[in-house]
């Protein structure tokens, strides 16, 4: 059972008691009368073929409080898009699939590109951004939930817990972030969050000072979770990062635009497991190192906008401070793991930290050479001001794909 400690300026919603899922769904249905809910599922076509996705769809069949499900489908050809339509067809909600690689949405993308509004690489960030755009265009809901599609430990009450803080009319939260413990194969996972993000934030506090922003970030129990809920009006003004800095950048954007009293984190699962990326120390530009590098750059850029001056010496000091902080944390994780009957491979953990400490130097150097680089896709508010009919275009592309009976016919 959880404690009820509030560790900082954002509100933490713990699961102090295990709630009856039916009672929770009943409450969510009542909230939906005032605050309708859309759930966004950003996915790759390949994820549709996994047991995790089948479990997610089965769980969502029970989530009748959700009005609309928006699936962002990446890396799908015509046959695969048709299969996706079949795959989701039994869901009771209003379901719309964004076939991001299809000709209609590609042509919307080209038009955005001509206006210099979407020059970004495909990936989860861009997928989520289009899904947010479609949700805004649909005008159907005031609450948006987003969760990953590789969750192997999905339970049907996960979306209810995730969206509760935004859906409940008694609350005034603008944004809520999901948290949990990532555990698999009898050990602690969540390697980038545990071994990179947490010690890096603590090291930054030592090197650049305990700023309010760093204190705020340090409050999040799982800063990298892909599970979050947001008010639709807040999503309209949100810039979304197109790289792996997506989750951390989202927290930075919330901090910039909203008072911390309107931000929450919520316990959404006992344990959480998902698809794991390989950690290959030789692959500096891929996998977990790439993820860590994008996150580090996003933090450096954010701190620079708050007045921090970075030099090569700052990054060298930061690397040393990070390394010490990470080793101390490994000791704490080890104690916690053993207490819970889990094992922990100290060699792997320290090896990971050694490689990630190099990432601080390379990401720092990259930042110094490209201080104005930005992975942010503009907010839909800005896009709409530049292209007044963008929401009509987006909706038409999605509806026409759905009604097109000739897709896939040669
Ligand atoms: O959240 C993280 O730290 C990364 O997504 C890696 O997660 P994993 O160690 O559970 O694969």
């Amino acid at each position: 059972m959880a404690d009820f400690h509030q560790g900082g300026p954002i509100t933490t919603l713990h699961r102090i008691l295990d709630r009856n899922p039916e009672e929770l769904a009943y409450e969510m249905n009542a909230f939906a009368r005032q605050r309708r809910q859309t759930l966004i599922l950003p996915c790759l076509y390949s994820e549709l073929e996994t047991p995790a996705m089948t479990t997610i769809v089965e769980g969502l069949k029970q989530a009748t409080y959700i009005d609309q499900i928006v699936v962002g489908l990446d890396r799908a050809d015509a046959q695969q898009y048709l299969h996706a339509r079949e795959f989701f067809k039994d869901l009771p909600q209003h379901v719309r699939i964004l076939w991001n690689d299809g000709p209609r949405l590609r042509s919307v993308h080209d038009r955005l590109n001509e206006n210099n509004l979407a020059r970004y690489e495909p990936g989860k960030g861009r997928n989520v951004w289009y899904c947010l755009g479609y949700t805004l265009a649909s005008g159907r809901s005031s609450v948006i939930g987003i969760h990953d599609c590789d969750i192997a430990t999905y339970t049907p009450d996960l979306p209810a817990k995730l969206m509760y803080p935004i859906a409940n009319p008694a609350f005034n939260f603008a944004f809520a972030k999901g948290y949990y413990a990532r555990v698999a194969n009898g050990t602690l996972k969540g390697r980038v969050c545990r071994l990179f993000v947490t010690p890096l934030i603590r090291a930054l506090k030592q090197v650049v000072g305990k700023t309010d922003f760093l204190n705020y970030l340090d409050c999040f129990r799982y800063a990298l979770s892909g599970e979050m809920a947001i008010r639709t009006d807040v999503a309209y003004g949100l810039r979304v990062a197109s790289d792996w800095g997506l989750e951390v950048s989202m927290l930075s954007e919330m901090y910039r635009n909203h008072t911390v009293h309107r931000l929450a984190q919520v316990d959404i699962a006992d344990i959480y497991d998902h698809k794991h990326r390989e950690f290959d120390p030789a692959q500096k530009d891929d996998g977990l190192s790439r993820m860590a590098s994008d996150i580090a750059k996003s933090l450096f850029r954010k701190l620079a906008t708050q007045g921090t001056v970075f030099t090569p010496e700052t990054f060298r000091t930061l690397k040393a401070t990070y390394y010490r902080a990470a080793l101390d944390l490994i000791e704490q994780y080890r104690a916690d793991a053993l207490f819970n009957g889990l094992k922990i491979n100290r060699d792997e953990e320290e090896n990971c930290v050694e490689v990630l400490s190099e990432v601080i130097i390379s990401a720092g150097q990259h930042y110094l050479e490209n201080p104005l680089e930005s992975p942010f896709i503009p907010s839909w508010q800005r896009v709409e001001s530049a292209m007044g009919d963008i929401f009509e275009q987006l909706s038409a592309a999605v509806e026409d794909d759905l009604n097109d009976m000739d897709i896939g016919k040669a």
Side-chain angles (χ1 to χ4, degrees):
M1 269 320 127
D3 60 13
F4 42 62
H5 180 67
Q6 295 290 340
I10 57 163
T11 302
T12 301
L13 302 177
H14 308 82
R15 285 190 307 124
I16 298 164
L17 300 175
D18 257 336
R19 293 204 56 192
N20 177 336
E22 280 165 27
E23 193 187 286
L24 191 61
Y26 179 83
E27 252 192 284
M28 289 295 282
N29 267 307
F31 300 159
R33 277 183 231 123
Q34 280 183 62
R35 296 187 180 178
R36 293 213 292 181
Q37 302 149 29
T38 287
L39 181 69
I40 290 178
L41 302 176
C43 66
L44 302 170
Y45 175 75
S46 57
E47 285 173 325
L48 263 52
E49 296 173 319
T50 62
M53 197 60 173
T54 306
T55 311
I56 290 172
V57 168
E58 284 310 307
L60 289 175
K61 284 184 188 163
Q62 299 168 43
T64 51
Y65 48 86
I66 298 175
D67 168 62
Q68 171 170 254
I69 294 189
V70 175
V71 179
L73 184 66
D74 266 350
R75 298 205 213 147
D77 61 23
Q79 294 303 333
Q80 291 168 332
Y81 167 69
L82 291 178
H83 176 236
R85 281 204 319 215
E86 271 304 294
F87 187 82
F88 292 106
K89 81 171 187 329
D90 292 334
L91 283 172
Q93 297 87 358
H94 179 262
V95 178
R96 288 295 179 267
I97 300 171
L98 272 69
W99 179 23
N100 291 322
D101 298 323
R104 291 191 175 92
L105 278 180
R106 272 213 315 264
S107 123
V108 173
H109 183 71
D110 290 344
R111 268 172 260 150
L112 283 162
N113 225 344
E114 281 157 24
N115 288 280
N116 214 9
L117 291 166
R119 59 186 193 285
Y120 304 88
E121 295 299 308
K124 184 178 160 194
R126 200 173 92 173
N127 192 354
V128 166
W129 183 74
Y130 272 116
C131 290
L132 288 173
Y134 177 79
T135 307
L136 288 160
S138 74
R140 289 181 75 104
S141 53
S142 53
V143 177
I144 301 174
I146 305 173
H147 73 60
D148 284 348
C149 290
D150 64 346
I151 310 173
T153 46
Y154 196 80
T155 54
D157 57 353
L158 187 145
K161 290 184 246 173
L162 179 64
M163 290 193 280
Y164 189 104
I166 311 298
N168 187 339
F171 294 160
N172 193 24
F173 294 119
F175 174 83
K177 176 92 172 164
Y179 75 83
Y180 36 66
R182 282 198 180 171
V183 176
N185 305 327
T187 191
L188 299 182
K189 301 299 271 188
R191 293 157 293 171
V192 179
C193 197
R194 242 174 1 97
L195 299 173
F196 188 68
V197 176
T198 302
L200 179 59
I201 291 170
R202 306 228 170 129
L204 280 164
K205 279 185 182 177
Q206 274 181 271
V207 175
V208 309
K210 291 187 173 127
T211 67
D212 287 347
F213 172 65
L214 289 170
N215 284 336
Y216 154 82
L217 276 188
D218 204 10
C219 286
F220 285 94
R221 293 175 172 220
Y222 207 101
L224 293 193
S225 84
E227 287 64 39
M228 59 202 100
I230 185 167
R231 285 173 62 120
T232 305
D233 55 338
V234 171
Y236 185 52
L238 181 73
R239 295 183 308 157
V240 175
S242 54
D243 64 6
W244 286 109
L246 169 69
E247 279 84 18
V248 167
S249 306
M250 195 85 95
L251 299 182
S252 305
E253 280 290 283
M254 288 304 146
Y255 184 80
R256 189 172 74 109
N257 296 334
H258 303 280
T259 149
V260 284
H261 303 297
R262 295 195 63 207
L263 310 178
Q265 60 183 336
V266 55
D267 183 346
I268 56 169
D270 287 337
I271 57 157
Y272 182 107
D273 189 24
H274 67 141
K275 183 175 73 201
H276 299 281
R277 298 165 71 82
E278 281 309 307
F279 180 62
D280 180 354
Q283 295 218 317
K284 301 224 178 325
D285 288 330
D286 207 4
L288 297 190
S289 298
R290 171 72 196 277
M291 188 186 279
S293 174
D294 286 351
I295 293 166
K297 283 183 266 176
S298 130
L299 286 173
F300 301 155
R301 277 191 299 263
K302 180 69 189 173
L303 288 165
T305 66
Q306 296 172 350
T308 299
V309 178
F310 286 104
T311 64
E313 287 70 38
T314 323
F315 293 117
R316 278 201 286 276
T317 309
L318 187 61
K319 176 185 169 187
T321 317
Y322 156 81
Y323 190 62
R324 186 64 258 163
L327 290 185
D328 289 348
L329 273 166
I330 287 178
E331 206 51 49
Q332 293 178 323
Y333 295 137
R334 180 174 161 272
D336 210 5
L338 295 183
F339 177 67
N340 283 283
L342 300 168
K343 56 187 185 316
I344 204 130
N345 185 326
R346 198 179 186 118
D347 179 48
E348 271 174 21
E349 300 260 298
E350 290 202 20
N351 188 18
C352 195
V353 161
E354 275 159 26
V355 174
L356 293 174
S357 68
E358 292 299 332
V359 168
I360 294 178
I361 298 293
S362 55
Q365 197 176 336
H366 183 96
Y367 164 74
L368 291 176
E369 286 162 10
N370 310 275
L372 297 180
E373 184 184 67
S374 168
F376 277 117
I377 314 177
S379 70
W380 282 103
Q381 186 171 31
R382 173 174 164 197
V383 173
E384 195 187 21
S385 76
M387 292 172 68
D389 64 345
I390 186 62
F391 288 137
E392 285 79 12
Q393 289 187 37
L394 202 48
S395 297
V398 174
E399 292 306 312
D400 290 350
D401 276 349
L402 181 68
N403 297 319
D404 188 341
M405 293 304 143
D406 291 329
I407 288 179
K409 292 187 187 148

